[in-house]
Amino acid sequence: MKKFRGVHGLGILLTPGFRVAVALGRWGVRADEKEAGGSSGNPRGGTRMGWAAGYDCCGGFGNVDIYQAELSVMTRLFGYVDVTDFSFLAAVLCIIFNPLFWNVVARWEHKTRKLSQAFGSPYVACYCLGTTVLLLNFLRSHCFTQAMLRQPKMEGLDCLEAYYVGLVILGIGIVFVLSSFHALGFIGTYLGDYFGILKEARVTKFPFNVLDNPMYWGSTANYLGWSIMNASPTGLMLTIIVALTYTVAIVFEEPFTEEIYRHKALKTKNK
Protein backbone atom coordinates (compact mmCIF):
# COMPACT_ATOMS: atom_id res chain seq x y z
CA MET A 1 0.00 0.00 0.00
CA LYS A 2 1.37 3.42 -0.95
CA LYS A 3 2.14 5.69 1.97
CA PHE A 4 1.64 9.43 1.68
CA ARG A 5 4.35 11.25 3.58
CA GLY A 6 4.40 14.66 5.17
CA VAL A 7 2.96 17.77 3.58
CA HIS A 8 3.20 16.18 0.12
CA GLY A 9 0.91 13.41 1.29
CA LEU A 10 -1.45 15.95 2.80
CA GLY A 11 -1.62 17.74 -0.52
CA ILE A 12 -2.48 14.53 -2.35
CA LEU A 13 -5.30 13.80 0.06
CA LEU A 14 -6.78 17.28 0.61
CA THR A 15 -6.06 19.22 -2.60
CA PRO A 16 -8.96 17.56 -4.47
CA GLY A 17 -11.32 18.92 -1.83
CA PHE A 18 -9.96 22.45 -2.19
CA ARG A 19 -10.07 22.15 -5.97
CA VAL A 20 -13.70 21.05 -5.98
CA ALA A 21 -14.52 23.88 -3.59
CA VAL A 22 -12.94 26.56 -5.76
CA ALA A 23 -14.32 24.98 -8.92
CA LEU A 24 -17.85 25.15 -7.54
CA GLY A 25 -17.20 28.72 -6.50
CA ARG A 26 -15.85 29.55 -9.95
CA TRP A 27 -18.92 28.00 -11.54
CA GLY A 28 -20.94 30.46 -9.51
CA VAL A 29 -18.73 33.30 -10.71
CA ARG A 30 -19.31 32.44 -14.34
CA ALA A 31 -23.05 31.93 -13.95
CA ASP A 32 -23.49 35.26 -12.20
CA GLU A 33 -21.19 37.20 -14.55
CA LYS A 34 -23.13 35.87 -17.51
CA GLU A 35 -26.42 36.93 -15.93
CA ALA A 36 -25.06 40.36 -14.97
CA GLY A 37 -23.55 40.93 -18.39
CA GLY A 38 -26.78 40.00 -20.16
CA SER A 39 -28.86 42.45 -18.15
CA SER A 40 -26.54 45.45 -18.18
CA GLY A 41 -24.58 45.12 -21.39
CA ASN A 42 -21.38 44.77 -19.41
CA PRO A 43 -19.82 41.40 -20.28
CA ARG A 44 -17.99 41.28 -16.98
CA GLY A 45 -20.82 42.42 -14.76
CA GLY A 46 -20.01 45.23 -12.36
CA THR A 47 -20.85 44.40 -8.80
CA ARG A 48 -19.38 42.46 -5.92
CA MET A 49 -21.87 39.73 -6.71
CA GLY A 50 -20.14 39.33 -10.07
CA TRP A 51 -17.91 36.78 -8.37
CA ALA A 52 -20.52 35.18 -6.17
CA ALA A 53 -22.81 32.44 -7.39
CA GLY A 54 -26.12 32.78 -9.13
CA TYR A 55 -29.03 30.60 -8.08
CA ASP A 56 -28.10 27.91 -10.62
CA CYS A 57 -24.65 27.57 -9.09
CA CYS A 58 -24.23 23.82 -9.40
CA GLY A 59 -25.84 23.06 -12.71
CA GLY A 60 -22.83 21.09 -13.89
CA PHE A 61 -19.05 20.92 -14.26
CA GLY A 62 -18.74 20.95 -18.03
CA ASN A 63 -17.45 24.54 -18.30
CA VAL A 64 -15.31 24.52 -15.16
CA ASP A 65 -11.54 24.77 -15.63
CA ILE A 66 -10.37 23.65 -12.19
CA TYR A 67 -6.71 24.59 -12.56
CA GLN A 68 -7.35 28.14 -13.76
CA ALA A 69 -10.09 28.64 -11.18
CA GLU A 70 -7.96 28.10 -8.07
CA LEU A 71 -5.98 31.35 -7.95
CA SER A 72 -8.92 33.54 -8.88
CA VAL A 73 -11.39 32.13 -6.38
CA MET A 74 -8.91 31.64 -3.51
CA THR A 75 -7.80 35.25 -3.93
CA ARG A 76 -11.40 36.43 -3.86
CA LEU A 77 -12.04 34.53 -0.63
CA PHE A 78 -10.47 37.49 1.11
CA GLY A 79 -13.38 39.62 -0.04
CA TYR A 80 -15.70 37.50 2.11
CA VAL A 81 -13.55 37.38 5.23
CA ASP A 82 -13.35 40.13 7.81
CA VAL A 83 -10.03 39.32 9.45
CA THR A 84 -10.66 41.95 12.15
CA ASP A 85 -13.83 40.23 13.40
CA PHE A 86 -13.47 39.07 17.00
CA SER A 87 -14.71 35.55 16.29
CA PHE A 88 -12.21 35.13 13.45
CA LEU A 89 -9.34 36.36 15.62
CA ALA A 90 -10.45 34.08 18.47
CA ALA A 91 -10.45 31.09 16.10
CA VAL A 92 -6.97 31.95 14.81
CA LEU A 93 -5.71 32.34 18.38
CA CYS A 94 -7.09 28.93 19.38
CA ILE A 95 -5.69 27.26 16.26
CA ILE A 96 -2.18 28.56 16.94
CA PHE A 97 -2.27 28.30 20.73
CA ASN A 98 -3.31 24.65 21.06
CA PRO A 99 -0.25 22.90 19.53
CA LEU A 100 2.00 25.54 21.08
CA PHE A 101 0.54 24.76 24.50
CA TRP A 102 0.86 20.99 24.34
CA ASN A 103 4.36 21.12 22.88
CA VAL A 104 5.66 23.57 25.49
CA VAL A 105 4.06 21.71 28.42
CA ALA A 106 5.12 18.28 27.17
CA ARG A 107 8.73 19.35 26.61
CA TRP A 108 8.81 20.99 30.02
CA GLU A 109 7.54 17.74 31.54
CA HIS A 110 10.12 15.71 29.64
CA LYS A 111 12.89 17.95 30.92
CA THR A 112 11.76 18.38 34.56
CA ARG A 113 9.18 15.63 35.33
CA LYS A 114 7.34 18.28 37.37
CA LEU A 115 3.87 17.16 36.28
CA SER A 116 4.60 13.53 37.07
CA GLN A 117 5.86 14.57 40.51
CA ALA A 118 2.87 16.83 41.14
CA PHE A 119 0.32 14.14 40.21
CA GLY A 120 2.31 11.29 41.70
CA SER A 121 2.35 9.31 38.45
CA PRO A 122 3.32 9.94 34.81
CA TYR A 123 0.12 8.18 33.73
CA VAL A 124 -2.12 10.47 35.78
CA ALA A 125 -0.16 13.50 34.58
CA CYS A 126 -0.52 12.40 30.95
CA TYR A 127 -4.26 11.84 31.36
CA CYS A 128 -4.62 15.34 32.84
CA LEU A 129 -2.70 16.94 29.98
CA GLY A 130 -4.67 14.90 27.44
CA THR A 131 -7.97 15.97 28.98
CA THR A 132 -6.85 19.61 28.89
CA VAL A 133 -5.87 19.29 25.23
CA LEU A 134 -9.26 17.73 24.44
CA LEU A 135 -11.08 20.64 26.08
CA LEU A 136 -8.90 23.13 24.19
CA ASN A 137 -9.72 21.35 20.94
CA PHE A 138 -13.43 21.56 21.71
CA LEU A 139 -12.97 25.29 22.28
CA ARG A 140 -11.07 25.60 18.99
CA SER A 141 -13.85 23.85 17.09
CA HIS A 142 -16.45 26.07 18.74
CA CYS A 143 -14.56 29.24 17.82
CA PHE A 144 -14.02 27.91 14.28
CA THR A 145 -17.75 27.31 13.84
CA GLN A 146 -18.72 30.67 15.33
CA ALA A 147 -16.31 32.45 12.97
CA MET A 148 -17.95 30.70 10.01
CA LEU A 149 -21.47 31.54 11.15
CA ARG A 150 -20.71 35.23 11.69
CA GLN A 151 -19.34 35.79 8.18
CA PRO A 152 -20.86 35.51 4.69
CA LYS A 153 -21.22 32.29 2.75
CA MET A 154 -19.85 31.80 -0.74
CA GLU A 155 -22.93 31.21 -2.82
CA GLY A 156 -20.95 29.18 -5.32
CA LEU A 157 -20.47 26.57 -2.59
CA ASP A 158 -23.97 26.82 -1.20
CA CYS A 159 -25.39 23.89 -3.15
CA LEU A 160 -26.08 20.20 -2.71
CA GLU A 161 -23.06 18.95 -4.68
CA ALA A 162 -20.64 20.98 -2.56
CA TYR A 163 -22.37 19.83 0.61
CA TYR A 164 -21.84 16.17 -0.30
CA VAL A 165 -18.20 16.78 -1.27
CA GLY A 166 -17.67 18.34 2.17
CA LEU A 167 -19.47 15.46 3.83
CA VAL A 168 -17.17 12.92 2.15
CA ILE A 169 -14.05 14.85 3.18
CA LEU A 170 -15.39 15.14 6.73
CA GLY A 171 -16.01 11.40 6.78
CA ILE A 172 -12.45 10.68 5.62
CA GLY A 173 -11.10 12.96 8.33
CA ILE A 174 -13.16 11.23 11.03
CA VAL A 175 -11.86 7.84 9.89
CA PHE A 176 -8.25 9.03 10.17
CA VAL A 177 -8.78 10.65 13.58
CA LEU A 178 -10.64 7.74 15.16
CA SER A 179 -8.39 5.05 13.69
CA SER A 180 -5.31 6.98 14.86
CA PHE A 181 -6.72 7.20 18.36
CA HIS A 182 -7.52 3.48 18.33
CA ALA A 183 -4.02 2.59 17.14
CA LEU A 184 -2.20 4.81 19.65
CA GLY A 185 -4.54 4.76 22.63
CA PHE A 186 -5.15 7.79 24.85
CA ILE A 187 -1.61 7.95 26.24
CA GLY A 188 0.03 7.43 22.87
CA THR A 189 -2.14 10.12 21.32
CA TYR A 190 -1.51 12.67 24.04
CA LEU A 191 2.27 12.67 24.20
CA GLY A 192 2.81 9.78 26.58
CA ASP A 193 6.37 9.38 25.30
CA TYR A 194 7.21 12.84 26.68
CA PHE A 195 6.17 11.49 30.08
CA GLY A 196 8.51 8.53 29.75
CA ILE A 197 5.71 6.13 28.76
CA LEU A 198 7.27 4.66 25.63
CA LYS A 199 5.92 2.11 23.19
CA GLU A 200 7.91 -1.02 22.44
CA ALA A 201 7.80 -0.38 18.70
CA ARG A 202 6.66 2.22 16.21
CA VAL A 203 2.98 1.92 15.28
CA THR A 204 2.75 0.87 11.62
CA LYS A 205 -0.83 -0.36 11.20
CA PHE A 206 -3.64 1.66 9.61
CA PRO A 207 -3.76 4.61 9.28
CA PHE A 208 -0.01 4.99 9.89
CA ASN A 209 0.74 2.72 6.95
CA VAL A 210 -1.13 5.15 4.70
CA LEU A 211 -0.20 8.60 5.99
CA ASP A 212 2.27 10.13 8.42
CA ASN A 213 0.64 12.09 11.26
CA PRO A 214 -2.89 10.94 10.38
CA MET A 215 -4.36 12.52 13.52
CA TYR A 216 -3.26 15.98 12.40
CA TRP A 217 -4.26 15.59 8.78
CA GLY A 218 -7.51 13.88 9.69
CA SER A 219 -8.34 16.87 11.88
CA THR A 220 -7.44 19.21 9.00
CA ALA A 221 -9.74 17.23 6.68
CA ASN A 222 -12.53 17.58 9.25
CA TYR A 223 -12.24 21.35 9.17
CA LEU A 224 -12.03 21.41 5.38
CA GLY A 225 -15.13 19.25 5.01
CA TRP A 226 -17.04 21.25 7.61
CA SER A 227 -16.12 24.49 5.81
CA ILE A 228 -17.31 23.23 2.43
CA MET A 229 -20.54 21.88 3.94
CA ASN A 230 -21.19 25.36 5.35
CA ALA A 231 -20.14 27.12 2.12
CA SER A 232 -17.76 29.16 4.23
CA PRO A 233 -14.75 30.99 2.75
CA THR A 234 -13.89 31.94 6.35
CA GLY A 235 -13.74 28.26 7.20
CA LEU A 236 -11.52 27.56 4.19
CA MET A 237 -9.12 30.28 5.26
CA LEU A 238 -9.05 28.99 8.84
CA THR A 239 -8.46 25.47 7.52
CA ILE A 240 -5.36 26.70 5.73
CA ILE A 241 -4.16 28.18 9.04
CA VAL A 242 -4.84 24.82 10.73
CA ALA A 243 -2.76 23.00 8.10
CA LEU A 244 0.11 25.49 8.36
CA THR A 245 0.08 25.32 12.16
CA TYR A 246 0.19 21.52 12.15
CA THR A 247 3.01 21.61 9.59
CA VAL A 248 5.10 23.80 11.90
CA ALA A 249 4.22 21.60 14.90
CA ILE A 250 5.40 18.50 13.05
CA VAL A 251 8.73 20.15 12.22
CA PHE A 252 9.38 20.52 15.96
CA GLU A 253 7.70 17.35 17.22
CA GLU A 254 9.09 14.65 14.94
CA PRO A 255 12.83 15.22 15.58
CA PHE A 256 12.20 15.51 19.33
CA THR A 257 10.18 12.29 19.45
CA GLU A 258 12.80 10.48 17.37
CA GLU A 259 15.47 11.63 19.82
CA ILE A 260 13.46 10.22 22.74
CA TYR A 261 13.30 6.80 21.10
CA ARG A 262 16.93 6.98 20.03
CA HIS A 263 17.94 7.39 23.68
CA LYS A 264 15.67 4.50 24.60
CA ALA A 265 17.35 2.29 21.97
CA LEU A 266 20.81 3.25 23.25
CA LYS A 267 19.87 2.42 26.84
CA THR A 268 18.42 -0.92 25.76
CA LYS A 269 21.54 -1.72 23.77
CA ASN A 270 23.87 -0.86 26.65
CA LYS A 271 22.08 -3.13 29.13
Side-chain angles (χ1 to χ4, degrees):
M1 180 180 292
K2 182 177 180 181
K3 183 174 182 179
F4 302 109
R5 292 190 173 275
V7 178
H8 176 65
L10 172 68
I12 292 173
L13 291 174
L14 297 187
T15 296
F18 276 110
R19 284 178 174 171
V20 170
V22 298
L24 288 167
R26 184 58 176 168
W27 175 262
V29 173
R30 292 178 175 177
D32 195 72
E33 285 180 349
K34 183 177 180 181
E35 179 181 340
S39 61
S40 65
N42 180 359
R44 298 185 61 83
T47 66
R48 184 173 187 268
M49 290 303 293
W51 52 270
Y55 292 107
D56 190 24
C57 69
C58 295
F61 294 96
N63 296 321
V64 178
D65 186 337
I66 291 176
Y67 296 97
Q68 293 182 5
E70 290 180 15
L71 180 60
S72 174
V73 175
M74 291 304 290
T75 300
R76 285 165 170 171
L77 287 178
F78 287 92
Y80 279 104
V81 181
D82 178 7
V83 296
T84 64
D85 181 73
F86 175 80
S87 61
F88 180 84
L89 295 175
V92 172
L93 179 62
C94 287
I95 289 168
I96 296 174
F97 174 78
N98 287 12
L100 177 65
F101 168 79
W102 71 62
N103 273 285
V104 169
V105 172
R107 289 197 181 205
W108 174 70
E109 162 63 17
H110 181 263
K111 181 177 181 179
T112 66
R113 299 295 185 225
K114 293 291 187 181
L115 288 177
S116 296
Q117 294 171 14
F119 288 100
S121 165
Y123 289 89
V124 176
C126 183
Y127 274 109
C128 288
L129 176 62
T131 301
T132 302
V133 171
L134 269 175
L135 294 174
L136 287 172
N137 286 342
F138 284 133
L139 176 62
R140 177 182 63 183
S141 296
H142 172 74
C143 291
F144 188 104
T145 301
Q146 290 303 308
M148 288 197 305
L149 295 177
R150 287 173 61 92
Q151 302 215 33
K153 290 186 176 184
M154 174 178 278
E155 294 183 20
L157 289 179
D158 196 10
C159 57
L160 194 60
E161 285 87 345
Y163 180 87
Y164 283 124
V165 168
L167 187 62
V168 170
I169 295 173
L170 179 65
I172 293 171
I174 290 172
V175 168
F176 276 121
V177 170
L178 294 182
S179 59
S180 298
F181 187 85
H182 181 264
L184 293 174
F186 189 95
I187 288 177
T189 299
Y190 294 106
L191 304 167
D193 37 17
Y194 287 66
F195 290 79
I197 309 169
L198 305 180
K199 291 187 172 294
E200 293 299 322
R202 184 182 182 92
V203 176
T204 57
K205 65 180 181 180
F206 183 85
F208 293 91
N209 60 343
V210 176
L211 178 70
D212 286 335
N213 305 291
M215 180 70 78
Y216 283 170
W217 303 136
S219 176
T220 304
N222 288 343
Y223 286 119
L224 174 58
W226 187 233
S227 300
I228 296 174
M229 290 172 68
N230 285 274
S232 174
T234 301
L236 293 175
M237 187 175 294
L238 290 173
T239 300
I240 293 171
I241 297 173
V242 169
L244 292 174
T245 302
Y246 278 152
T247 300
V248 173
I250 290 168
V251 169
F252 286 94
E253 288 177 11
E254 285 195 337
F256 195 81
T257 303
E258 289 174 1
E259 185 67 13
I260 291 173
Y261 280 92
R262 188 180 71 83
H263 279 295
K264 176 196 174 185
L266 287 175
K267 288 182 179 179
T268 304
K269 184 178 180 180
N270 292 331
K271 283 184 179 180

